[in-house]
């Protein structure tokens, strides 16, 4: 039988925010967008997401087993 403390000590939760989004970098993006409420990441935002992935892989400790994300495109792109 496992002790609860053994199970919990092996768990980690990382809470992250999405990378840079296009409407913050280019305010003119929104009025012409098909989905102005759902801006994607910029090229820099994609680089930030990739850097986060590398950081978590190299220094995060345990392997990631689950990712929970908002369905908004910028969040999915970051995840």
């Amino acid at each position: 039988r496992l002790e609860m403390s053994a199970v919990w000590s092996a768990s980690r939760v990382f809470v992250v925010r999405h990378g840079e989004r296009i409407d913050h970098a280019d305010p003119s993006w929104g009025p012409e967008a098909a989905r102005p409420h759902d801006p994607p990441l910029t090229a820099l935002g994609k680089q930030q997401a990739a850097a986060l992935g590398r950081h978590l892989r190299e220094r995060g400790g345990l392997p990631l087993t689950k990712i929970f994300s908002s369905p908004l495109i910028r969040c999915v792109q970051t995840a």
Side-chain angles (χ1 to χ4, degrees), residues 3 30 32 34 55 63 77:
E3 295 285 326
E32 301 298 320
H55 177 82
Q77 288 175 312

Side-chain angles (χ1 to χ4, degrees), residues 21-40:
R21 46 192 260 191
I22 196 163
D23 61 329
H24 285 192
D26 180 7
S28 67
W29 176 85
E32 301 298 320
R35 297 178 59 155
H37 65 283
D38 192 11

Side-chain angles (χ1 to χ4, degrees), residues 41-54:
L41 296 180
T42 62
L44 174 60
K46 291 176 184 177
Q47 291 173 359
Q48 292 168 333
L52 171 64
R54 285 190 300 274

Side-chain angles (χ1 to χ4, degrees), residues 37-78:
H37 65 283
D38 192 11
L41 296 180
T42 62
L44 174 60
K46 291 176 184 177
Q47 291 173 359
Q48 292 168 333
L52 171 64
R54 285 190 300 274
H55 177 82
L56 290 175
R57 182 175 53 247
E58 294 166 5
R59 298 185 192 102
L62 301 172
L64 295 178
T65 57
K66 292 182 176 78
I67 296 176
F68 298 92
S69 174
S70 161
L72 294 172
I73 190 67
R74 63 187 175 267
C75 301
V76 172
Q77 288 175 312
T78 300

